Amino acid sequence: MSLKPKRFKTFVLEYVNMDMDSRLDEVELVYYLDIDILAGGSLDKLFQGLESQYNIVGHRPEEDVSKLYFVSPLSKEWPLQSGTMIAERGTSQYCLQLWRNEIDMMLKTGRGRDQDALRNIYQRIESGNETKCQLV
């Protein structure tokens, strides 16, 4: 599959912030699941468990680090699974923009996947070359 449709997931917070529905005004966490994710039980319990496991509280105005949470690693080589993520409305935009920029660079070469782009950012964070984003 082309990377072009994969980059739409990096706009998840912009969709929520479009002021289309006032019910979204109170939303602090956005859970993104790829269309091929299957759930065999209560998503409410899953989400509460993830929020507890990763200490996700939503609004953190005092933090200057952008955070984006991923549900489970695939392997040591692939530390993040890009098909499931939790974005904090107040902090995650910077990380999403980094991811989108990385995808855009890969589109120019015609190579890679959204997973590759995410791993590149993760490696920059691990090496200390990126300090404003945390991929948890």
Side-chain angles (χ1 to χ4, degrees):
M1 172 178 271
S2 167
L3 269 174
K4 287 181 183 180
K6 294 288 192 169
R7 73 188 297 273
F8 285 110
K9 68 176 77 175
T10 68
F11 287 101
V12 67
L13 289 181
E14 292 176 38
Y15 300 138
V16 172
N17 291 330
M18 290 178 74
D19 292 329
M20 296 187 325
D21 190 330
S22 61
R23 293 177 293 178
L24 297 176
D25 292 347
E26 301 299 316
V27 171
E28 292 185 8
L29 299 174
V30 176
Y31 292 82
Y32 175 89
L33 305 173
D34 272 351
I35 195 167
D36 60 348
I37 302 294
L38 298 175
S42 168
L43 290 179
D44 188 46
K45 289 179 183 176
L46 170 67
F47 294 158
Q48 287 175 2
L50 292 170
E51 289 173 25
S52 177
Q53 178 181 346
Y54 293 111
N55 192 30
I56 303 170
V57 295
H59 187 64
R60 300 175 197 237
E62 71 283 353
E63 292 212 14
D64 58 349
V65 174
S66 182
K67 291 184 180 179
L68 199 54
Y69 301 87
F70 294 88
V71 176
S72 60
L74 295 176
S75 66
K76 197 168 189 125
E77 181 184 359
W78 300 101
L80 304 166
Q81 207 286 57
S82 66
T84 55
M85 70 177 158
I86 304 167
E88 292 179 319
R89 190 174 191 168
T91 69
S92 296
Q93 188 60 48
Y94 178 80
C95 289
L96 290 167
Q97 183 65 49
L98 279 178
W99 191 10
R100 183 167 46 250
N101 292 346
E102 191 70 26
I103 289 172
D104 289 346
M105 285 192 293
M106 290 181 146
L107 281 170
K108 290 177 185 176
T109 65
R111 303 190 64 171
R113 302 173 300 163
D114 61 328
Q115 193 76 31
D116 297 315
L118 195 57
R119 182 175 64 171
N120 290 348
I121 295 166
Y122 181 82
Q123 289 171 341
R124 286 201 306 264
I125 292 167
E126 290 294 301
S127 70
N129 291 325
E130 173 56 57
T131 59
K132 294 181 182 178
C133 173
Q134 288 181 1
L135 303 178
V136 183

